[in-house]
Amino acid sequence: MSMMIDRRSLLTAGGAAALVPWLPAWAQPISPGLPTVSGADIHLKIAHQMLTVDGKTSHAIGINGTIPGPLVRLKEGTKARIHVANALQGEDSSIHWHGLILPFHMDGVPGISFPGIAPGKSFTYEFPVRQSGTYWYHSHSGLQEQMGHYGPLIIDPADADPVAYDREHVILLSDHSALHPHVIFKKLKQMGGYFNYNKQTLAGLLAGEDQALKDRVAWGAMRMDPTDISDVTGSTYTYLINGLGPADNWTGLFRAGERVRLRIINASAMTTFNVRIPGLTMEVVQADGLNVRPVRVGEFQIAVAETYDVVVTPSDEAYSLIAESSDRSGLARATLAPRAGMTAAVPPLRPRPLATMQDMGMGGMDHGAMGHGGETMKHSMRDMRAAPTVKDTPTVQSISPMPVDRTGDPGQGLEGEPDVLSYQDLVALDRNPDTRTPSRQLQIHLTGNMERYMWAFDGVKMNEVKAPIPFTEGERVRVTLVNDTMMTHPIHLHGHFFELVTGKGDHAPRKHTVNVQPGGKATFDLTADAPGDWAFHCHLLYHMHAGMMQVVTVRPAGEAA
Amino acid sequence: MSLLALLLVTAQHQGHEMPAPEPAPACSPEHAAMGHCTMPEAKAPPAPPAPPPSPAPSCSPEHAAMGHCEMPAPKAPPPPACAPEHAAMGHCTLPDTTPPTPGAGNTPPPPAPRVGAADAIFGADAMAAARARLYAEHGGSAISQVMVDMAEARIGKGRDSYAWDAEARFGGDIDKLAVKSEGEGDFGGSLDEAEVQALWSHAIGPYFDVQAGVRQDIGPGASPTHAVIGFEGLAPYWFDVEGALFLSAKGDVTARLEASYDQRITQWLIVQPMAEVEAAFQDVAERGIGSGVSSVELGVRLRYEIAREFAPYVGFVWDRKLGKTARLARATSDGASRPAFVAGVRFWF
């Protein structure tokens, strides 16, 4: 009994200090509870384990015995050599280094970059470290990522870091369910709205909540559910920070007045988070691992697979770091405090947002028509002529009639909140390496069907794809992603950074993952400078699993095979 | 306020910077903004200490959590007029004077090559299996679902009866095997009528499947086999609809159309009105069916989803035979109209 009490107290408030007892609390270097691996040879072992979150234990997959996996710390200009052993039973595995520029055969996607790592076998990744910043790594095999197979990766710059800070903490966000990921996927296939317990109801209508009756009727006519913000929600997920639940309360320490750098990584399978620290302004200094001109914000939305580094300067008190899921069905919470054991208030969940006409791709419409569902009826929600490159398949539930660029929007539910970051606030700190005008344009539609839970690029699921998306090595292409669905899709291209086209000239923000708002567009310029085959997919795990994935090939000019 | 914050950041930072800031001649605004060096204009008179962003003394975090008072909103103040220096520091945004990004060209794309760059490194054989799995796994999975929409007792005039309606699906997104069964009988008596259908179900659009296959009737009377052609899907306004034509081995053609709607009262309490109409294109004497619209069933069921997969319900159904079929029914002891209270469970897995 006393053992149990000891364990519980270790897991809660005093845990942070207790884990590294030989250091005074204020001197703890980084992220208590998160082991670091570095050096010339790094060893990682993937294995099944149990994970206890807020006192509940469930089955998971970890790396070197922890979830998240250890912090892999590399140094720009060195050579990384990482030995990965797969100790899973009867199941292949892999590690993909998310956002890293490396030879394609070290990218870690089974079937594209390499054959995968068979159970009981290991694979040595070797690549020159050519960049710096905050990144992460995760499995690209099956649905292992949902089970805990992810971890942070930080590369220290070869030269002085342009970001000044006194202390850093990794804040790795993730979503955890006691359900096996294959069960989650099956439920979604059987019933697209399975996890949504925030639907509109008759009781809500009578109470004057949500949409008015005529809008409900108009949306019903289109078979569109405005409450469908997240496919998998807090009804099954617990939202984690560095592997700990809201009650576990991961705590990061600081000394008052220090510039504290938070390296925030969204390693979720399915969850878009809105991040804020009540009482503190955050200075965004890095996005997707690359430095940006500092922007001070009160809140920002972080899509799955994105990273943001922010610097905060806290006073001598405790603060809650709140990462609310975008559908407001739950939150991840951590504490930043000058001393272990301190906590701050946790604000209640805000009301969940409802999708708007703009989320249906009617952004180009006269705003007078917004909210008057009846008037939209004259716009077909599935006019294939509006997207001639999209194949007319059951995967395509809707085509955005008038999609507009939404890179200036803060994200669903954050419209109207003060001081929220949008992509248009990002300006690269360094000049872009390639400022040529693209010689070619490419439009890719993000298509889906919530009723059948099918997701695809251009209406063709990965299993139906006949040919990859080809690029010639060295060419510069302007790619526009058109979201024909009512959900956000964080689209990730492996092996490359691309420049978001937001009017920032030769200081365009460079990213590896771009979140395309519902019914909207986002455009980026890509220099296809990494020969080989690369994965290109929606980073919502179950969207990818349902088919929203493609292979991008980069070949030298004149080489067709 | 923004200027104040900037100065504070600079001042605080200078206090504990480890290597003394080089008197760098090359201090770009970007670096200054990162706090890495000091720009001349930042050497303003020292800023007065800013009040810490602590909650008002009258509102402790505990009280705020209890909803007794409101913590100050954690928002930064809106930036004042934006001086170019501050814009360079990233603290505010100048009106966008960047010239628009020039338009891209229209070079045609290169031909699509074969995916197989890794073959040269790991061998074509080793890659082939992994690649096949990759493509199949992402979008090609097969799913099953067994849905017992209705398993109920019916209490009305005469004998109490039972009824069921279920459908199972196995397969991929486009093509599936659908097995349907429905029927009813009297408690303590015989099975009244029942059927099983085995159908190939093919997606023809985002919402609808066409279905074709066979139906076998089971029961005490005539139990013909039918060929089936039908459809099933989700109609506008969220109506679940299903319809089929049946051609019996004897050449009789009958039809059935069903529709239902889930109205959510709360997240767990759902009322489901439904209607089913049957018609025959000729008399089917052996089954007591006259040509024309032969019967209509109206029902309303109120279910409580203890879990999505398990929902007990209560309701009312009214089964009415029409026209010639009604006359035939009255001739036997069955009667043409059978209202009943129902209680049952809907479950699926």
Side-chain angles (χ1 to χ4, degrees), chain B residues 231-245:
Chain B
F231 68 91
E232 184 171 0
L234 183 69
Y237 302 98
W238 301 110
F239 283 98
D240 283 303
V241 296
E242 192 177 341
L245 283 171

Side-chain angles (χ1 to χ4, degrees), chain B residues 56-252:
Chain B
S58 57
C59 181
S60 71
E62 294 79 14
H63 279 117
M66 310 282 272
H68 288 176
C69 56
E70 232 179 76
M71 303 271 290
K75 58 170 186 175
C82 182
E85 303 88 77
H86 289 130
M89 309 291 254
H91 285 202
C92 57
T93 315
L94 276 176
D96 195 0
T97 50
T98 328
T101 319
N106 276 310
T107 314
R114 197 181 69 83
V115 174
D119 291 6
I121 296 153
F122 300 102
D125 291 346
M127 285 305 297
R131 194 175 302 124
R133 225 176 103 189
L134 171 88
Y135 278 89
E137 222 173 47
H138 295 90
S141 55
I143 296 290
S144 69
Q145 180 171 24
V146 176
M147 164 74 80
V148 180
D149 198 38
M150 215 172 88
E152 66 193 20
R154 296 183 169 188
I155 296 133
K157 280 188 285 185
R159 263 190 149 147
D160 294 343
S161 61
Y162 58 86
W164 76 89
D165 190 342
E167 176 169 351
R169 293 162 170 246
F170 312 91
D173 290 325
I174 306 299
D175 292 295
K176 287 181 194 71
L177 168 68
V179 178
K180 302 182 182 183
S181 177
E182 62 178 74
E184 55 183 287
D186 292 339
F187 283 115
S190 63
L191 189 66
D192 188 14
E193 56 179 24
E195 64 178 50
V196 178
Q197 299 180 36
L199 308 168
W200 164 63
S201 191
H202 177 76
I204 51 161
Y207 300 106
F208 279 91
D209 279 17
V210 291
Q211 300 179 328
V214 294
R215 161 182 153 190
Q216 177 61 53
D217 288 1
I218 304 158
S223 300
T225 304
H226 309 254
V228 185
I229 177 115
F231 68 91
E232 184 171 0
L234 183 69
Y237 302 98
W238 301 110
F239 283 98
D240 283 303
V241 296
E242 192 177 341
L245 283 171
F246 305 100
L247 171 66
S248 80
K250 291 191 172 172
D252 301 320

